[in-house]
Amino acid sequence: MVGFVLRPSKRELKVLADINVSVLTPALLFAKISGSLTRSILGLLWFVPVMYVLLGCVGLVWTRYGGQALGLSDGFRRLCSIAVFFSNVNTILIPIMQGIAASPDARFLLRDANDTAQQVTDRAIAYGMIIGIMNNILRWSVGVAIMRPAATAAEISPENNKKTSWLTPPLIAVMCAVAVVVVSPVQKALLADGTYVHTLWLAIDTCGGACIPLTLLGLGGQLRLQLTPRTDATGPATSASEQKRGVVLVLVGRFLIVPAVSCAALLAIYVYVPGLVPLLRSDPVLFLTLAIVSATPPAINLMTVAQNMGVYEAEAAAILSCAYAVGVLALSVEISIFLWLTSLIHST
């Protein structure tokens, strides 16, 4: 709302996106990953990132062939691919799992008599953070690479084009955070209260807290720009009809295709190869978390990527606004189905 009212120009939105990508997003990723995960959790949950990548590939296949069938341009189809591939993990999963765990009807999520609602939430957050690592590694490497052909020399100036390399600041931050988690003494020193390095970590965490508000500010500003003529537009534009077809492609992929494939794969592993992932059988929270993540709306950072690269900003804003509006109903229905499935297989 603030971004919509302030009416920032396209140049100002580009500056905000640059600050977000270069400083705030890396700070958020480093603080959350280094402060929430341990080396033992990383070792136990190898299946989670593998599953996430496979589901992402399903989304890529869907948008590639579905986009061709709908007559979408190559660049816009690439944007839709990123929207379906990369879901919102961090800002949606935690409040959903907290609400579910607090319900007295969710006792089937407890692993044993000693398990608690808080432990259910903590495990869901841990699983979500593993997914978040892969999400951010791939978004700021593969995602940028997918969009690069859409950002031609005529659309991105030379000084901005260098930012489309694989080694982006968010990716560097994720790599550094994973290195800290793997080297336990470094992580302990970084999180030890009362030390200089912990003060530095707190400062990084504070900077990261501004990432999502600034992203939402940019989204509001972009929605405002859609109501005015694009006099300063230099990048490619889609027609209203093509934009609508692209939004439908993303909504079907994000809320129907990927969740359906996810549940089918999880059920197949649970029934036919239970020894492959023992944790999937012993902890119902893992099944539920993976199912929910497969059905969340596109990551809000889609807007940051588009603004930072200077292409398809209006289309990204349209996709996000529609996805989150539809997602309120779609996710509510799907969570009910996921809860039913989880209770069904873990009560037998």
Side-chain angles (χ1 to χ4, degrees):
M1 180 62 71
V2 173
F4 190 89
V5 173
L6 291 179
R7 303 178 64 178
S9 66
K10 184 175 180 178
R11 181 181 295 274
E12 291 169 336
L13 289 173
K14 181 67 169 62
V15 172
L16 291 179
D18 288 344
I19 294 173
N20 211 341
V21 171
S22 301
V23 181
L24 301 183
T25 298
L28 175 70
L29 297 176
F30 180 83
K32 295 304 181 185
I33 293 172
S34 63
S36 303
L37 295 178
T38 64
R39 185 169 59 181
S40 59
I41 291 177
L42 283 176
L44 286 173
L45 300 178
W46 64 268
F47 168 74
V48 174
V50 171
M51 184 70 179
Y52 181 79
V53 172
L54 292 176
L55 291 178
C57 291
V58 170
L60 290 179
V61 172
W62 165 254
T63 51
R64 177 179 177 82
Y65 293 103
Q68 289 178 346
L70 292 175
L72 302 185
S73 63
D74 179 72
F76 187 37
R77 192 169 66 244
R78 290 173 181 273
L79 180 75
C80 294
S81 297
I82 296 178
V84 177
F85 194 132
F86 302 108
S87 61
N88 187 322
V89 178
N90 298 325
T91 59
I92 288 184
L93 178 65
I94 293 176
I96 287 177
M97 291 305 301
Q98 285 176 330
I100 292 174
S103 172
D105 296 327
R107 298 180 65 180
F108 60 88
L109 293 177
L110 303 178
R111 287 194 297 189
D112 51 48
N114 297 321
D115 206 6
T116 65
Q118 184 58 51
Q119 290 174 332
V120 167
T121 303
D122 291 344
R123 293 200 304 278
I125 293 174
Y127 301 152
M129 288 304 298
I130 296 290
I131 299 172
I133 290 177
M134 284 306 299
N135 191 322
N136 287 290
I137 287 177
L138 295 175
R139 181 191 309 155
W140 297 107
S141 57
V142 175
V144 170
I146 289 174
M147 284 301 297
R148 186 182 298 160
T152 62
E155 294 156 358
I156 292 186
S157 59
E159 63 270 19
N160 288 334
N161 192 47
K162 65 184 180 181
K163 295 179 183 178
T164 64
S165 65
W166 282 73
L167 204 59
T168 58
L171 179 58
I172 294 173
V174 172
M175 294 167 62
C176 291
V178 172
V180 167
V181 172
V182 171
V183 184
S184 299
V186 175
Q187 186 182 35
K188 291 179 181 178
L190 196 63
L191 300 179
D193 292 333
T195 62
Y196 172 78
V197 290
H198 183 60
T199 302
L200 178 62
W201 182 88
L202 289 175
I204 294 174
D205 187 38
T206 301
C207 288
C211 174
I212 293 180
L214 192 65
T215 301
L216 294 174
L217 183 68
L219 176 59
Q222 191 62 53
L223 290 173
R224 180 72 184 194
L225 282 182
Q226 287 185 262
L227 302 180
T228 59
R230 296 183 61 178
T231 57
D232 61 343
T234 57
T238 61
S239 65
S241 174
E242 183 181 3
Q243 190 174 115
K244 290 178 181 178
R245 296 196 302 273
V247 169
V248 171
L249 180 72
V250 171
L251 294 181
V252 174
R254 193 64 253 156
F255 296 124
L256 183 60
I257 302 299
V258 175
V261 174
S262 173
C263 287
L266 291 172
L267 287 172
I269 294 172
Y270 185 93
V271 174
Y272 297 110
V273 282
L276 181 64
V277 189
L279 193 59
L280 194 62
R281 270 190 169 270
S282 63
D283 189 4
V285 175
L286 177 58
F287 183 98
L288 180 62
T289 301
L290 290 173
I292 291 177
V293 167
S294 72
T296 54
I300 297 177
N301 289 93
L302 178 71
M303 189 75 253
T304 304
V305 172
Q307 289 176 335
N308 183 250
M309 300 188 73
V311 292
Y312 296 112
E313 301 103 312
E315 290 79 3
I319 288 173
L320 288 174
S321 58
C322 292
Y324 280 84
V326 173
V328 173
L329 176 60
L331 196 55
S332 299
V333 173
E334 289 179 316
I335 288 176
S336 299
I337 296 173
F338 299 153
L339 286 169
W340 173 76
L341 278 175
T342 305
S343 63
L344 181 66
I345 64 175
H346 282 277
S347 61
T348 57

